[in-house]
Amino acid sequence: LPQLGPHLPPRLTQQPWHLQYSTRRDGFSLRTLYRLGGQRGSPALLLIRDTEAQAFGAFSSSAIRCSSGFYGTGETFLFSFSPELKVFRWTGRNNFFVKGDVNLLMVGGGSGRFGLWLDGDLHRGGS
């Protein structure tokens, strides 16, 4: 996804990326995504294609993982391709970056809503 390159933190622009999780290869499970999601300190790029072929996702400054509270930094952002790339950066209003448990993954929160959410079997979500 070369279009995302300019939006990533400068320290990552020359780093190689590795596919850690794919529903095609690993099945539809948030638990599996957490287990295969990379090392705790490494960044993550979550790319989703829905049943209507819309592509969107999130960049997280740290690996996607199960957590009891929110984690991440202001480098976290959401994006969509519809049809051109749109990037949605941190507003600075709160620190609700990423939170996940076995039933729900949430990215970008505020006012009781989330910028992106996925259920435990990755069959339902919203953005």
Side-chain angles (χ1 to χ4, degrees):
L1 299 167
Q3 302 101 313
L4 283 173
H7 301 280
L8 296 174
R11 70 181 183 285
L12 300 175
T13 56
Q14 299 300 316
Q15 296 298 315
W17 288 86
H18 304 283
L19 181 63
Q20 299 289 327
Y21 173 83
S22 165
T23 54
R24 181 175 293 153
R25 181 188 68 202
D26 304 309
F28 289 82
S29 166
L30 208 46
R31 287 179 194 258
T32 305
L33 184 141
Y34 295 147
R35 187 169 42 82
L36 300 176
Q39 296 175 329
R40 194 174 188 116
S42 62
L45 190 61
L46 183 64
L47 179 61
I48 301 162
R49 187 176 307 271
D50 67 14
T51 55
E52 296 169 8
Q54 294 296 311
F56 54 95
F59 168 79
S60 172
S61 56
S62 57
I64 304 293
R65 58 183 165 83
C66 203
S67 63
S68 58
F70 283 90
Y71 62 91
T73 70
E75 291 179 326
T76 303
F77 64 85
L78 297 169
F79 60 88
S80 74
F81 295 94
S82 58
E84 71 283 340
L85 174 64
K86 292 181 185 167
V87 173
F88 305 93
R89 295 204 169 276
W90 180 43
T91 63
R93 284 185 275 206
N94 62 47
N95 291 330
F96 302 150
F97 300 113
V98 184
K99 183 180 185 300
D101 61 33
V102 295
N103 300 310
L104 189 62
L105 172 64
M106 302 156 277
V107 182
S111 305
R113 299 174 57 186
F114 302 100
L116 172 66
W117 66 272
L118 297 170
D119 71 358
D121 60 11
L122 306 177
H123 287 179
R124 296 189 61 230
S127 180

